[in-house]
Amino acid sequence: MFDFDLIEDTSKKIHMKQLAIQTCINMISRTISQSEFYVKKDKKIVKDEMYYRLNVRPNPNMSASQFWQTVVHNLIYDNKCLIIQSDTEDLLIADSFTRVEYALVQGSFKDVTIKNFTFSRTFQMSDVVYLEYSNKKLSTMLNGLYEDYGELFGRIIEFQKLKNQIRGLVNVESTYEKDEKTQRRLQTYIDKIYKAFTDKSVAFVPQQKGFKLEELKNTSQLQSVDEVAKVADGFLNQVAKTLGSPISLLHGDMADVEKPTRNYMTFCIDPFLKKIKDELNAKLIDKKDYLAGKKMETKRVSNINMFDVATAVDKLRASGTFNGNELREALGEERVDDPIMDRYFITKNYQESSEALKGGEEDEA
């Protein structure tokens, strides 16, 4: 990917933009790559060829984690991602393609290129997995945002260079010639002197008649280096807000991590997984089978520690609100075949209000 937004007043330190974008995208892609994708039928996970492709080895050249990281990266940065299935049932991510859209019938994709190979066939929309992130391309919005931040970032960098610049005067008597050759020899000699002062801990320079070096003290009071970090962090924060990532997690804040993590999973990761799940259901599951209960599901990485919620789980089970298998699914675990896990239980301390108003036990006498 190339950046062509290097206009005159914008900083050429393009790494600030790339660092902010890649930091946010990599965080999201690493999280989603830990998810599990599976088909569920009759409350059981179907572990077939597609399960292997989605979770272990989509194609001979990529692992599942690499595959999903690439999907998310393309989806966010390019606003779209096309996944096709080869004749050998491998899942492949297209590097480039041309989409043909129609108003009343399904669209198609042609000129699909992967690495250096371009397919001659045309893929119909029903034969591919096609994902779109939003209505506008993220890179276009970020380029406009970067023009302002880049200009400010570049000026602060220049101020820092100016603040730490070594300045000096060279006094030369008029006996020296003013032609270009002499000027070039003089500049070479000056460069050697300052190179000796810069590179060597001890440097001696012979004095020349009619030639005097004088270093000027820098008294300029400009921004500190912290100002550079503030501008970079400001741009990172704007990118994070665009993608829905909590800023505190990106900066590595360790205080009160639980709440930002919950918001990150709910408002950033879950919408991505829902988008992927909906497309997989539409393309991999037949309508009749879907209505009969067969559907694609995703299980994201869990931020729940089951030991921390053990008391709450016990209460939910003891009150008869959930059975064992439902609680296992809520904790991110698979259902088990034990019949007792599908039954509901209510402990003795739960009773109807009418029973509680009757008072104590009656005497048998």
Side-chain angles (χ1 to χ4, degrees):
M1 292 174 290
F2 299 94
D3 291 282
F4 297 101
D5 57 341
L6 300 178
I7 59 177
E8 183 177 357
D9 289 332
T10 304
S11 168
K12 294 184 179 180
K13 305 296 182 181
I14 204 68
H15 67 270
M16 184 186 78
K17 180 172 70 172
Q18 289 298 329
L19 178 62
I21 297 174
Q22 296 303 326
T23 298
C24 295
I25 291 179
N26 289 342
M27 181 177 178
I28 297 173
S29 63
R30 286 195 302 266
T31 305
I32 292 181
S33 67
Q34 299 178 67
S35 303
E36 181 182 4
F37 300 84
Y38 56 88
V39 175
K40 198 171 186 180
K41 183 179 181 181
D42 298 330
K43 298 183 179 181
K44 294 183 179 180
I45 297 178
V46 180
K47 295 188 176 181
D48 53 6
E49 180 70 21
M50 184 55 63
Y51 178 86
Y52 179 83
R53 296 290 183 185
L54 294 175
N55 297 284
V56 182
R57 203 74 178 175
N59 58 68
N61 298 315
M62 302 179 75
S63 64
S65 59
Q66 292 174 318
F67 177 84
W68 289 114
Q69 285 186 28
T70 305
V71 168
V72 174
H73 187 282
N74 291 357
L75 182 59
I76 296 176
Y77 195 89
D78 296 329
N79 199 47
K80 56 189 176 182
C81 181
L82 176 65
I83 304 173
I84 65 171
Q85 191 169 22
S86 66
D87 295 334
T88 56
E89 298 186 353
D90 292 326
L91 298 178
L92 305 171
I93 302 173
D95 294 325
S96 63
F97 56 89
T98 301
R99 182 184 179 186
V100 181
E101 299 183 71
Y102 301 100
L104 302 177
V105 296
Q106 65 173 331
S108 60
F109 300 88
K110 61 181 182 179
D111 301 327
V112 177
T113 302
I114 300 175
K115 301 302 180 183
N116 295 322
F117 178 77
T118 302
F119 287 87
S120 57
R121 56 188 272 196
T122 298
F123 294 86
Q124 299 300 316
M125 178 64 80
S126 58
D127 299 328
V128 301
V129 175
Y130 180 67
L131 301 166
E132 284 187 327
Y133 176 60
S134 64
N135 295 329
K136 293 185 178 180
K137 190 174 180 181
L138 177 67
S139 58
T140 303
M141 294 187 293
L142 293 183
N143 286 345
L145 178 65
Y146 179 73
E147 289 184 6
D148 296 330
Y149 273 94
E151 181 179 356
L152 180 60
F153 185 74
R155 289 176 183 263
I156 292 179
I157 291 291
E158 293 301 322
F159 288 158
Q160 288 299 318
K161 291 180 178 179
L162 183 63
K163 178 180 178 181
N164 298 301
Q165 185 184 47
I166 299 176
R167 305 184 183 113
L169 297 176
V170 179
N171 297 321
V172 182
E173 293 184 1
S174 60
T175 55
Y176 284 92
E177 297 291 337
K178 301 298 188 298
D179 60 280
E180 182 178 351
K181 182 178 179 182
T182 304
Q183 294 291 335
R184 187 165 54 250
R185 291 176 57 192
L186 179 61
Q187 185 62 52
T188 302
Y189 178 68
I190 295 173
D191 293 342
K192 287 182 178 180
I193 294 176
Y194 274 102
K195 182 175 177 59
F197 289 153
T198 304
D199 298 342
K200 298 179 181 180
S201 59
V202 179
F204 294 94
V205 177
Q207 292 185 346
Q208 300 289 333
K209 183 179 179 181
F211 184 89
K212 181 181 179 181
L213 292 175
E214 179 183 357
E215 185 175 344
L216 300 178
K217 293 184 179 180
N218 191 342
T219 59
S220 60
Q221 299 294 327
L222 301 173
Q223 291 94 335
S224 65
V225 180
D226 293 339
E227 296 295 327
V228 179
K230 288 180 180 179
V231 175
D233 288 343
F235 184 72
L236 174 61
N237 294 344
Q238 294 297 328
V239 177
K241 290 179 181 178
T242 303
L243 297 176
S245 298
I247 298 172
S248 58
L249 293 181
L250 289 172
H251 290 300
D253 297 342
M254 300 305 296
D256 192 19
V257 177
E258 183 178 354
K259 186 175 181 180
T261 301
R262 188 185 302 116
N263 291 338
Y264 168 65
M265 301 302 292
T266 303
F267 301 111
C268 181
I269 299 302
D270 286 348
F272 273 101
L273 290 177
K274 180 66 165 57
K275 188 183 296 291
I276 296 173
K277 182 177 69 174
D278 289 347
E279 182 67 8
L280 293 177
N281 271 316
K283 301 302 175 61
L284 302 181
I285 307 297
D286 184 75
K287 179 181 178 180
K288 183 179 180 181
D289 293 335
Y290 183 84
L291 295 177
K294 182 180 180 181
K295 56 184 177 180
M296 179 70 64
E297 294 285 356
T298 59
K299 184 174 72 174
R300 61 173 170 80
V301 58
S302 177
N303 62 318
I304 300 176
N305 187 335
M306 63 179 64
F307 297 103
D308 294 337
V309 297
T311 302
V313 170
D314 178 65
K315 284 293 184 182
L316 291 171
R317 180 78 158 127
S319 64
T321 307
F322 294 95
N323 63 35
N325 274 327
E326 290 172 339
L327 291 173
R328 286 181 61 85
E329 288 184 333
L331 291 172
E333 301 294 330
E334 293 186 30
R335 301 174 69 95
V336 294
D337 292 331
D338 192 345
I340 198 172
M341 296 298 289
D342 290 321
R343 297 174 61 185
Y344 294 87
F345 294 93
I346 300 179
T347 56
K348 291 182 178 180
N349 58 320
Y350 287 92
Q351 58 182 342
E352 293 183 358
S353 59
S354 59
E355 294 293 330
L357 294 174
K358 288 182 180 180
E361 297 180 357
E362 297 180 357
D363 296 332
E364 295 181 358

mmCIF file of all heavy atoms in Angstrom, residues 224-256:
data_model
loop_
_atom_site.group_PDB
_atom_site.id
_atom_site.type_symbol
_atom_site.label_atom_id
_atom_site.label_comp_id
_atom_site.label_asym_id
_atom_site.label_seq_id
_atom_site.Cartn_x
_atom_site.Cartn_y
_atom_site.Cartn_z
ATOM 1 N N SER A 224 9.082 21.021 23.982
ATOM 2 C CA SER A 224 9.844 19.860 24.422
ATOM 3 C C SER A 224 9.506 18.669 23.542
ATOM 4 O O SER A 224 8.582 18.696 22.739
ATOM 5 C CB SER A 224 9.520 19.541 25.881
ATOM 6 O OG SER A 224 8.161 19.162 26.000
ATOM 7 N N VAL A 225 10.260 17.589 23.750
ATOM 8 C CA VAL A 225 10.024 16.377 22.974
ATOM 9 C C VAL A 225 8.650 15.791 23.288
ATOM 10 O O VAL A 225 8.048 15.091 22.465
ATOM 11 C CB VAL A 225 11.140 15.350 23.265
ATOM 12 C CG1 VAL A 225 10.926 14.063 22.474
ATOM 13 C CG2 VAL A 225 12.503 15.946 22.914
ATOM 14 N N ASP A 226 8.118 16.082 24.466
ATOM 15 C CA ASP A 226 6.799 15.573 24.830
ATOM 16 C C ASP A 226 5.723 16.047 23.870
ATOM 17 O O ASP A 226 4.705 15.367 23.678
ATOM 18 C CB ASP A 226 6.437 16.015 26.248
ATOM 19 C CG ASP A 226 7.324 15.366 27.297
ATOM 20 O OD1 ASP A 226 7.909 14.310 26.976
ATOM 21 O OD2 ASP A 226 7.425 15.908 28.410
ATOM 22 N N GLU A 227 5.921 17.233 23.268
ATOM 23 C CA GLU A 227 4.931 17.744 22.326
ATOM 24 C C GLU A 227 4.816 16.839 21.105
ATOM 25 O O GLU A 227 3.735 16.684 20.532
ATOM 26 C CB GLU A 227 5.303 19.167 21.888
ATOM 27 C CG GLU A 227 5.289 20.183 23.013
ATOM 28 C CD GLU A 227 3.902 20.381 23.582
ATOM 29 O OE1 GLU A 227 2.935 20.282 22.803
ATOM 30 O OE2 GLU A 227 3.779 20.620 24.790
ATOM 31 N N VAL A 228 5.929 16.241 20.703
ATOM 32 C CA VAL A 228 5.897 15.322 19.562
ATOM 33 C C VAL A 228 5.041 14.109 19.893
ATOM 34 O O VAL A 228 4.193 13.675 19.107
ATOM 35 C CB VAL A 228 7.324 14.884 19.175
ATOM 36 C CG1 VAL A 228 7.291 13.908 18.008
ATOM 37 C CG2 VAL A 228 8.167 16.103 18.828
ATOM 38 N N ALA A 229 5.240 13.554 21.108
ATOM 39 C CA ALA A 229 4.473 12.384 21.521
ATOM 40 C C ALA A 229 2.991 12.708 21.649
ATOM 41 O O ALA A 229 2.127 11.877 21.319
ATOM 42 C CB ALA A 229 5.008 11.848 22.844
ATOM 43 N N LYS A 230 2.674 13.923 22.104
ATOM 44 C CA LYS A 230 1.272 14.300 22.266
ATOM 45 C C LYS A 230 0.550 14.342 20.920
ATOM 46 O O LYS A 230 -0.611 13.934 20.814
ATOM 47 C CB LYS A 230 1.177 15.654 22.960
ATOM 48 C CG LYS A 230 1.549 15.619 24.441
ATOM 49 C CD LYS A 230 1.428 17.001 25.056
ATOM 50 C CE LYS A 230 1.806 16.968 26.538
ATOM 51 N NZ LYS A 230 1.709 18.318 27.163
ATOM 52 N N VAL A 231 1.210 14.865 19.898
ATOM 53 C CA VAL A 231 0.583 14.926 18.575
ATOM 54 C C VAL A 231 0.383 13.516 18.016
ATOM 55 O O VAL A 231 -0.686 13.203 17.473
ATOM 56 C CB VAL A 231 1.442 15.767 17.612
ATOM 57 C CG1 VAL A 231 0.851 15.733 16.208
ATOM 58 C CG2 VAL A 231 1.527 17.203 18.108
ATOM 59 N N ALA A 232 1.393 12.651 18.174
ATOM 60 C CA ALA A 232 1.265 11.273 17.693
ATOM 61 C C ALA A 232 0.151 10.545 18.431
ATOM 62 O O ALA A 232 -0.643 9.815 17.826
ATOM 63 C CB ALA A 232 2.591 10.537 17.862
ATOM 64 N N ASP A 233 0.070 10.738 19.741
ATOM 65 C CA ASP A 233 -0.992 10.102 20.524
ATOM 66 C C ASP A 233 -2.359 10.654 20.146
ATOM 67 O O ASP A 233 -3.359 9.918 20.137
ATOM 68 C CB ASP A 233 -0.745 10.311 22.021
ATOM 69 C CG ASP A 233 0.415 9.484 22.541
ATOM 70 O OD1 ASP A 233 0.808 8.531 21.840
ATOM 71 O OD2 ASP A 233 0.926 9.781 23.633
ATOM 72 N N GLY A 234 -2.418 11.954 19.827
ATOM 73 C CA GLY A 234 -3.687 12.545 19.423
ATOM 74 C C GLY A 234 -4.223 11.916 18.153
ATOM 75 O O GLY A 234 -5.424 11.629 18.040
ATOM 76 N N PHE A 235 -3.348 11.686 17.184
ATOM 77 C CA PHE A 235 -3.776 11.044 15.940
ATOM 78 C C PHE A 235 -4.186 9.598 16.190
ATOM 79 O O PHE A 235 -5.180 9.103 15.645
ATOM 80 C CB PHE A 235 -2.654 11.112 14.908
ATOM 81 C CG PHE A 235 -3.028 10.555 13.567
ATOM 82 C CD1 PHE A 235 -3.899 11.237 12.739
ATOM 83 C CD2 PHE A 235 -2.526 9.346 13.136
ATOM 84 C CE1 PHE A 235 -4.260 10.723 11.500
ATOM 85 C CE2 PHE A 235 -2.873 8.824 11.912
ATOM 86 C CZ PHE A 235 -3.744 9.511 11.094
ATOM 87 N N LEU A 236 -3.420 8.887 17.040
ATOM 88 C CA LEU A 236 -3.765 7.503 17.393
ATOM 89 C C LEU A 236 -5.137 7.442 18.051
ATOM 90 O O LEU A 236 -5.941 6.549 17.771
ATOM 91 C CB LEU A 236 -2.701 6.930 18.324
ATOM 92 C CG LEU A 236 -2.967 5.538 18.898
ATOM 93 C CD1 LEU A 236 -3.073 4.506 17.786
ATOM 94 C CD2 LEU A 236 -1.863 5.142 19.884
ATOM 95 N N ASN A 237 -5.419 8.413 18.917
ATOM 96 C CA ASN A 237 -6.722 8.436 19.590
ATOM 97 C C ASN A 237 -7.865 8.621 18.601
ATOM 98 O O ASN A 237 -8.936 8.016 18.742
ATOM 99 C CB ASN A 237 -6.750 9.548 20.639
ATOM 100 C CG ASN A 237 -5.782 9.306 21.781
ATOM 101 O OD1 ASN A 237 -5.285 8.185 21.962
ATOM 102 N ND2 ASN A 237 -5.484 10.343 22.543
ATOM 103 N N GLN A 238 -7.665 9.466 17.601
ATOM 104 C CA GLN A 238 -8.708 9.692 16.601
ATOM 105 C C GLN A 238 -8.966 8.423 15.784
ATOM 106 O O GLN A 238 -10.113 8.088 15.486
ATOM 107 C CB GLN A 238 -8.312 10.845 15.675
ATOM 108 C CG GLN A 238 -8.223 12.201 16.355
ATOM 109 C CD GLN A 238 -9.551 12.671 16.908
ATOM 110 O OE1 GLN A 238 -10.599 12.368 16.357
ATOM 111 N NE2 GLN A 238 -9.507 13.414 17.999
ATOM 112 N N VAL A 239 -7.894 7.714 15.433
ATOM 113 C CA VAL A 239 -8.054 6.468 14.687
ATOM 114 C C VAL A 239 -8.777 5.431 15.547
ATOM 115 O O VAL A 239 -9.660 4.708 15.070
ATOM 116 C CB VAL A 239 -6.682 5.929 14.233
ATOM 117 C CG1 VAL A 239 -6.838 4.589 13.526
ATOM 118 C CG2 VAL A 239 -5.999 6.925 13.306
ATOM 119 N N ALA A 240 -8.409 5.357 16.836
ATOM 120 C CA ALA A 240 -9.045 4.402 17.743
ATOM 121 C C ALA A 240 -10.537 4.683 17.884
ATOM 122 O O ALA A 240 -11.363 3.757 17.888
ATOM 123 C CB ALA A 240 -8.363 4.455 19.109
ATOM 124 N N LYS A 241 -10.906 5.953 17.984
ATOM 125 C CA LYS A 241 -12.320 6.312 18.089
ATOM 126 C C LYS A 241 -13.080 5.912 16.831
ATOM 127 O O LYS A 241 -14.232 5.478 16.891
ATOM 128 C CB LYS A 241 -12.472 7.812 18.332
ATOM 129 C CG LYS A 241 -12.026 8.269 19.716
ATOM 130 C CD LYS A 241 -12.178 9.780 19.861
ATOM 131 C CE LYS A 241 -11.710 10.243 21.244
ATOM 132 N NZ LYS A 241 -11.818 11.724 21.382
ATOM 133 N N THR A 242 -12.440 6.058 15.682
ATOM 134 C CA THR A 242 -13.091 5.692 14.427
ATOM 135 C C THR A 242 -13.409 4.208 14.380
ATOM 136 O O THR A 242 -14.452 3.798 13.877
ATOM 137 C CB THR A 242 -12.185 6.065 13.241
ATOM 138 O OG1 THR A 242 -11.882 7.460 13.292
ATOM 139 C CG2 THR A 242 -12.861 5.745 11.921
ATOM 140 N N LEU A 243 -12.514 3.394 14.929
ATOM 141 C CA LEU A 243 -12.682 1.940 14.892
ATOM 142 C C LEU A 243 -13.405 1.392 16.111
ATOM 143 O O LEU A 243 -13.700 0.200 16.170
ATOM 144 C CB LEU A 243 -11.308 1.266 14.760
ATOM 145 C CG LEU A 243 -10.535 1.582 13.485
ATOM 146 C CD1 LEU A 243 -9.162 0.944 13.522
ATOM 147 C CD2 LEU A 243 -11.304 1.077 12.270
ATOM 148 N N GLY A 244 -13.665 2.235 17.110
ATOM 149 C CA GLY A 244 -14.362 1.778 18.300
ATOM 150 C C GLY A 244 -13.482 1.078 19.312
ATOM 151 O O GLY A 244 -13.987 0.321 20.150
ATOM 152 N N SER A 245 -12.171 1.309 19.261
ATOM 153 C CA SER A 245 -11.254 0.672 20.211
ATOM 154 C C SER A 245 -11.035 1.603 21.402
ATOM 155 O O SER A 245 -10.776 2.794 21.207
ATOM 156 C CB SER A 245 -9.904 0.375 19.544
ATOM 157 O OG SER A 245 -10.059 -0.533 18.480
ATOM 158 N N PRO A 246 -11.121 1.086 22.633
ATOM 159 C CA PRO A 246 -10.848 1.922 23.806
ATOM 160 C C PRO A 246 -9.411 2.431 23.800
ATOM 161 O O PRO A 246 -8.469 1.669 23.590
ATOM 162 C CB PRO A 246 -11.091 0.967 24.990
ATOM 163 C CG PRO A 246 -11.985 -0.093 24.440
ATOM 164 C CD PRO A 246 -11.584 -0.258 23.013
ATOM 165 N N ILE A 247 -9.257 3.714 24.027
ATOM 166 C CA ILE A 247 -7.931 4.340 23.968
ATOM 167 C C ILE A 247 -7.031 3.811 25.070
ATOM 168 O O ILE A 247 -5.828 3.621 24.875
ATOM 169 C CB ILE A 247 -8.079 5.869 24.059
ATOM 170 C CG1 ILE A 247 -8.884 6.389 22.876
ATOM 171 C CG2 ILE A 247 -6.718 6.552 24.113
ATOM 172 C CD1 ILE A 247 -9.243 7.856 22.975
ATOM 173 N N SER A 248 -7.600 3.542 26.249
ATOM 174 C CA SER A 248 -6.792 3.090 27.379
ATOM 175 C C SER A 248 -6.116 1.755 27.088
ATOM 176 O O SER A 248 -4.983 1.516 27.521
ATOM 177 C CB SER A 248 -7.661 2.968 28.633
ATOM 178 O OG SER A 248 -8.738 2.074 28.415
ATOM 179 N N LEU A 249 -6.784 0.868 26.338
ATOM 180 C CA LEU A 249 -6.187 -0.423 26.008
ATOM 181 C C LEU A 249 -5.031 -0.256 25.031
ATOM 182 O O LEU A 249 -4.019 -0.953 25.126
ATOM 183 C CB LEU A 249 -7.233 -1.356 25.407
ATOM 184 C CG LEU A 249 -8.364 -1.808 26.345
ATOM 185 C CD1 LEU A 249 -9.308 -2.745 25.605
ATOM 186 C CD2 LEU A 249 -7.811 -2.482 27.587
ATOM 187 N N LEU A 250 -5.159 0.664 24.093
ATOM 188 C CA LEU A 250 -4.094 0.893 23.122
ATOM 189 C C LEU A 250 -2.854 1.469 23.790
ATOM 190 O O LEU A 250 -1.727 1.171 23.400
ATOM 191 C CB LEU A 250 -4.573 1.838 22.022
ATOM 192 C CG LEU A 250 -5.597 1.256 21.043
ATOM 193 C CD1 LEU A 250 -6.126 2.343 20.130
ATOM 194 C CD2 LEU A 250 -4.984 0.143 20.216
ATOM 195 N N HIS A 251 -3.056 2.304 24.818
ATOM 196 C CA HIS A 251 -1.924 2.918 25.510
ATOM 197 C C HIS A 251 -1.363 2.027 26.612
ATOM 198 O O HIS A 251 -0.378 2.397 27.255
ATOM 199 C CB HIS A 251 -2.338 4.267 26.103
ATOM 200 C CG HIS A 251 -2.594 5.327 25.066
ATOM 201 N ND1 HIS A 251 -1.626 5.741 24.173
ATOM 202 C CD2 HIS A 251 -3.712 6.039 24.759
ATOM 203 C CE1 HIS A 251 -2.135 6.683 23.377
ATOM 204 N NE2 HIS A 251 -3.401 6.870 23.708
ATOM 205 N N GLY A 252 -1.979 0.870 26.818
ATOM 206 C CA GLY A 252 -1.461 -0.065 27.804
ATOM 207 C C GLY A 252 -1.740 0.306 29.241
ATOM 208 O O GLY A 252 -1.016 -0.125 30.143
ATOM 209 N N ASP A 253 -2.795 1.095 29.487
ATOM 210 C CA ASP A 253 -3.144 1.444 30.865
ATOM 211 C C ASP A 253 -3.614 0.195 31.605
ATOM 212 O O ASP A 253 -4.465 -0.549 31.113
ATOM 213 C CB ASP A 253 -4.247 2.501 30.891
ATOM 214 C CG ASP A 253 -3.801 3.813 30.254
ATOM 215 O OD1 ASP A 253 -2.577 3.996 30.125
ATOM 216 O OD2 ASP A 253 -4.666 4.628 29.893
ATOM 217 N N MET A 254 -3.071 -0.018 32.796
ATOM 218 C CA MET A 254 -3.374 -1.222 33.561
ATOM 219 C C MET A 254 -4.466 -1.001 34.602
ATOM 220 O O MET A 254 -4.962 -1.951 35.193
ATOM 221 C CB MET A 254 -2.104 -1.723 34.266
ATOM 222 C CG MET A 254 -0.972 -2.069 33.313
ATOM 223 S SD MET A 254 -1.453 -3.274 32.049
ATOM 224 C CE MET A 254 -1.793 -4.696 33.071
ATOM 225 N N ALA A 255 -4.842 0.241 34.850
ATOM 226 C CA ALA A 255 -5.867 0.535 35.852
ATOM 227 C C ALA A 255 -7.264 0.314 35.270
ATOM 228 O O ALA A 255 -7.581 0.818 34.185
ATOM 229 C CB ALA A 255 -5.722 1.973 36.349
ATOM 230 N N ASP A 256 -8.076 -0.459 35.987
ATOM 231 C CA ASP A 256 -9.462 -0.704 35.608
ATOM 232 C C ASP A 256 -9.564 -1.198 34.152
ATOM 233 O O ASP A 256 -10.213 -0.591 33.296
ATOM 234 C CB ASP A 256 -10.290 0.565 35.800
ATOM 235 C CG ASP A 256 -11.795 0.304 35.706
ATOM 236 O OD1 ASP A 256 -12.178 -0.865 35.850
ATOM 237 O OD2 ASP A 256 -12.553 1.257 35.466
#
